[in-house]
Amino acid sequence: MKRYGHVTAIDHSDFELRKGEILAVIGDNGAGKSSIVKAICGAVIPDEGEILIEGKRANFTSPMEARNMGIEIVYQNLAMSPALSIADNMFMGREIRREGWRGDWLRMLDKKKMEQFARDKLTELGLMTVQSINQAVETLSGGQRQGVAVARAAAFATKFIIMDEPTAALGVKESRKVLELIQDVRSRGIPIILISHNMPHVFEVADRIHIHRLGKRLTTIKPGDYSMSDAVAFMTGAKEPPEIEAANA
Amino acid sequence: MAETGTKGQDYESSLSGASQTVAEFEDHRKGAAGKIQHALHVNPSLVPLIVLVFAIVLFGLLLGSKFLSPFALTLILQQVQIVGIVAAAQSLVILTAGIDLSVGAIMVLSSVIMGQFTFRYGIPAPISIACGIAVGAAIGAVNGWLVSKVKLPPFIVTLGMWQIVLAANFLYSANETIRSQDIEAQAPFLQFFGAKFNVGGAVFTVGVVFMLLLVLVLAFALRHTAWGRHVYAVGDDPEAAELSGVNVHKTLMSVYILSGLICAFAGWALIGRIGSVSPTSGQLANIESITAVVIGGISLFGGRGSILGSLFGALIVGVFTLGLRLLGADAQWTFLLIGLLIIGAVATDQWIRKVSA
């Protein structure tokens, strides 16, 4: 579905995401996980190489362009404004205006519509235990905030979602909830790129694991074929990787 | 998948016994204090409103009809109109976690340009006024560009701009005052904001009406338009705002330009208020506007507060000033009380913010 190659900053690293899968990206610190994902979403512009989305060339120059194409990113720091409400945060940068003269002339926002949409999306993902959609995000727990960020991505993504360490800051129970959310999103047919350090989480939800080492794709493995210690061994170079399986998507 | 999948879950198997409620909202802030804290968190302009009502009632009890007359109460409005307008501009900038020390200087320079263009070059007053307003907006644009693109701290940018604009004001005007009588005779439109009208003993000026309308329009825009939400988001966390799709540069530019524009209008209103065009007037407007904003409960750290609060803040200062003067107290008592209010307001802000912990 997507190919990524011949880049000087990231050294000849192919990368592909298939329809409806969760692709985990793992690698040691400094291996280039973030660089490759940033290059995909346009935060970093690759010097060489190309990105194909559904067979079409799509080299973004900013994350906004990627977003307009239906690619959503859940950032590690969540990118939310703590003092604003859940609904405000979900629609930040893509607010819905009221119909009629109040929207056209006063540029008035359709708060009801946005609140309703936000409520629907949170309920769909089984997250509606928050008291009010107008609650400020800072009054939510870490897991709830992550949930809102995932819901925001799921609500607007049409192509795929990139998640950067979605469980890093969470406790055990909250991580579990987020993993369920991730699987929920996949079941809607939206593929996910999951960057994570947490091996148990990666092995639990990923369909394929992309192991990155020294700026290159070392290999991709299926979590069923190898153990976590194998993966760590590949990642750190302690063990020779298997051949890359042929891309057939 | 099955084998490693199970392995992955092994260490969490004990979780199945744990409670399944995850992201549930619990109101842990119990009791009256908690409720008050929550109400204030939702409506940040409530504190200054309460203080304002309290102050009016207090002086009303102490002074009776001398204070509680339509004339005295509207006199307060007239006295705070300049600070109120400038505080509206200041509020916008402070909501983006900035500060604008050049507001007073922009106001004075704009008024001087309006006056000098009319009297020195013989340009019709409306065109001179338009020029003054354009200069105000342009200075705001320079501030905005330096803050947003060059990434200089707003405090430094506007501290520098304050000096530059003030010096330009004195150099250009050659320290000349245009007399009130001359303006009245030749270009009364410059004093338009000073035009008075009576409503049953209450005296309003165009400037007062402008201040009230300005605050209402800005309050609407901040609450009900995407631009307003972006102003708050940028003040809250500019990086998060950028990542979630807000054009931070555009938002900051719009805020600083609007601030300059409003200050220029304040300059026009200043001519109406004092009658003359004086390059030495309005020197305290920047400090007074910051005072109004802080007492009004807008957080200096950005992203929190309501512009209505700033209006209340300006009115509180006005009520104390007039009330204490009517009581015959030394003017220094006013400053002392305002100092206490500032510290009290910031302490309240910190307390309200504790919900985020």
Side-chain angles (χ1 to χ4, degrees), chain A residues 64 67 75 77 79-84 88 92-93 95 106-109 111 127 129-131 135-136 138-141 143-145 152 172-174 176-177 198 200-201 203-206 223-228, chain B residues 1-5 7-9 11-12 15 18-25 27-29 38 41 220 223-226 229-230 232-234 236-237 239-246 303-304 352-353 355-357:
Chain A
M64 288 319 300
R67 202 172 88 168
Y75 294 94
N77 61 7
M80 288 205 264
S81 303
L84 296 182
D88 278 338
M92 188 56 64
E95 292 83 356
L106 301 180
R107 297 175 163 259
M108 198 168 170
L109 294 176
K111 295 214 163 180
L127 258 169
T129 40
V130 289
Q131 247 187 1
Q135 218 172 306
E138 66 193 353
T139 61
L140 300 175
S141 72
Q144 286 174 317
R145 287 185 206 194
R152 172 167 74 176
V172 176
K173 270 202 287 181
E174 296 192 314
R176 178 111 320 276
K177 185 81 187 175
N198 189 317
H201 291 165
F203 270 76
E204 188 187 338
V205 297
D225 302 341
Y226 295 90
S227 72
M228 278 183 239
Chain B
M1 171 92 202
E3 196 197 308
T4 33
K7 238 187 237 169
Q9 277 171 327
Y11 79 112
E12 284 176 342
L15 255 186
S19 130
Q20 287 302 309
T21 50
V22 181
E24 231 166 329
F25 183 91
D27 202 343
H28 50 85
R29 304 182 307 268
H38 182 70
H41 193 253
F220 171 86
R223 196 174 270 271
H224 291 289
T225 70
R229 301 285 86 191
H230 293 176
Y232 278 92
V234 167
D236 219 354
D237 185 343
E239 277 133 53
E242 183 83 59
L243 289 175
S244 38
V246 174
R304 268 157 237 265
I352 295 170
R353 277 164 151 266
V355 276
S356 46

Side-chain angles (χ1 to χ4, degrees), chain B residues 81-163:
Chain B
Q81 60 176 317
I82 304 299
V83 173
I85 295 169
V86 176
Q90 189 70 262
S91 306
L92 290 175
V93 175
I94 288 182
L95 278 176
T96 65
I99 194 152
D100 194 341
L101 298 174
S102 63
V103 283
I106 296 176
M107 172 178 83
V108 176
L109 180 66
S110 298
S111 77
V112 162
I113 285 174
M114 291 171 190
Q116 293 292 348
F117 272 32
T118 312
F119 284 84
R120 200 184 289 180
Y121 311 127
I123 298 171
I127 297 175
S128 303
I129 288 166
C131 292
I133 288 168
V135 168
I139 298 169
V142 174
N143 278 340
W145 185 78
L146 289 170
V147 167
S148 166
K149 273 283 144 144
V150 190
K151 311 262 182 225
L152 298 177
F155 185 92
I156 303 299
V157 168
T158 57
L159 181 68
M161 195 55 85
W162 173 17
Q163 308 297 332

Side-chain angles (χ1 to χ4, degrees), chain A residues 28-86:
Chain A
D28 222 350
N29 285 341
K33 307 187 290 288
S34 315
S35 305
I36 201 164
V37 172
K38 276 183 186 157
I40 292 167
C41 70
V44 161
I45 301 165
D47 302 307
E48 272 178 55
E50 57 175 5
I51 299 161
L52 301 174
I53 294 173
E54 290 169 349
K56 273 180 238 132
R57 219 186 132 92
N59 281 18
F60 304 117
T61 54
S62 79
M64 288 319 300
E65 281 179 37
R67 202 172 88 168
N68 293 337
M69 279 281 295
I71 296 162
E72 286 290 322
I73 306 154
V74 178
Y75 294 94
Q76 195 170 356
N77 61 7
L78 300 181
M80 288 205 264
S81 303
L84 296 182
S85 74
I86 297 172

Side-chain angles (χ1 to χ4, degrees), chain A residues 1-246:
Chain A
M1 182 178 167
K2 196 156 62 59
R3 223 170 273 283
Y4 183 88
H6 305 295
V7 177
T8 36
I10 306 148
D11 194 13
H12 295 87
S13 175
D14 293 325
F15 188 93
E16 52 169 22
L17 180 66
R18 297 172 192 172
K19 265 205 167 71
E21 75 170 353
I22 296 178
L23 175 71
V25 180
I26 61 171
D28 222 350
N29 285 341
K33 307 187 290 288
S34 315
S35 305
I36 201 164
V37 172
K38 276 183 186 157
I40 292 167
C41 70
V44 161
I45 301 165
D47 302 307
E48 272 178 55
E50 57 175 5
I51 299 161
L52 301 174
I53 294 173
E54 290 169 349
K56 273 180 238 132
R57 219 186 132 92
N59 281 18
F60 304 117
T61 54
S62 79
M64 288 319 300
E65 281 179 37
R67 202 172 88 168
N68 293 337
M69 279 281 295
I71 296 162
E72 286 290 322
I73 306 154
V74 178
Y75 294 94
Q76 195 170 356
N77 61 7
L78 300 181
M80 288 205 264
S81 303
L84 296 182
S85 74
I86 297 172
D88 278 338
N89 268 291
M90 278 189 81
F91 283 91
M92 188 56 64
R94 54 184 145 217
E95 292 83 356
I96 303 174
R97 258 193 238 158
R98 266 177 117 120
E99 281 170 32
W101 64 274
R102 281 188 292 193
D104 294 341
W105 294 96
L106 301 180
R107 297 175 163 259
M108 198 168 170
L109 294 176
D110 198 334
K111 295 214 163 180
K112 278 220 180 77
K113 204 162 161 188
M114 295 198 292
E115 283 162 17
Q116 186 56 45
F117 183 89
R119 201 175 290 123
D120 289 349
K121 285 296 163 188
L122 290 186
T123 315
E124 249 176 57
L125 290 169
L127 258 169
M128 210 47 230
T129 40
V130 289
Q131 247 187 1
S132 148
I133 207 79
N134 290 318
Q135 218 172 306
V137 163
E138 66 193 353
T139 61
L140 300 175
S141 72
Q144 286 174 317
R145 287 185 206 194
Q146 190 78 52
V148 172
V150 173
R152 172 167 74 176
F156 295 103
T158 51
K159 296 283 192 301
F160 58 91
I161 302 174
I162 299 172
M163 294 191 194
D164 192 1
E165 298 280 4
T167 55
L170 301 182
V172 176
K173 270 202 287 181
E174 296 192 314
S175 297
R176 178 111 320 276
K177 185 81 187 175
V178 169
L179 292 179
E180 280 167 21
L181 272 178
I182 292 173
Q183 283 165 324
D184 233 34
V185 172
R186 170 180 54 187
S187 68
R188 284 148 208 272
I190 299 169
I192 295 168
I193 299 173
L194 172 71
I195 307 167
S196 182
H197 264 110
N198 189 317
M199 286 298 152
H201 291 165
V202 164
F203 270 76
E204 188 187 338
V205 297
D207 297 306
R208 290 188 309 134
I209 300 172
H210 171 119
I211 302 176
H212 217 71
R213 182 171 153 70
L214 304 175
K216 288 183 187 189
R217 173 166 77 171
L218 190 68
T219 183
T220 53
I221 58 170
K222 286 221 161 91
D225 302 341
Y226 295 90
S227 72
M228 278 183 239
S229 38
D230 288 336
V232 173
F234 295 146
M235 221 168 86
T236 54
K239 203 167 165 184
E240 278 301 303
E243 285 298 300
I244 295 170
E245 46 157 326

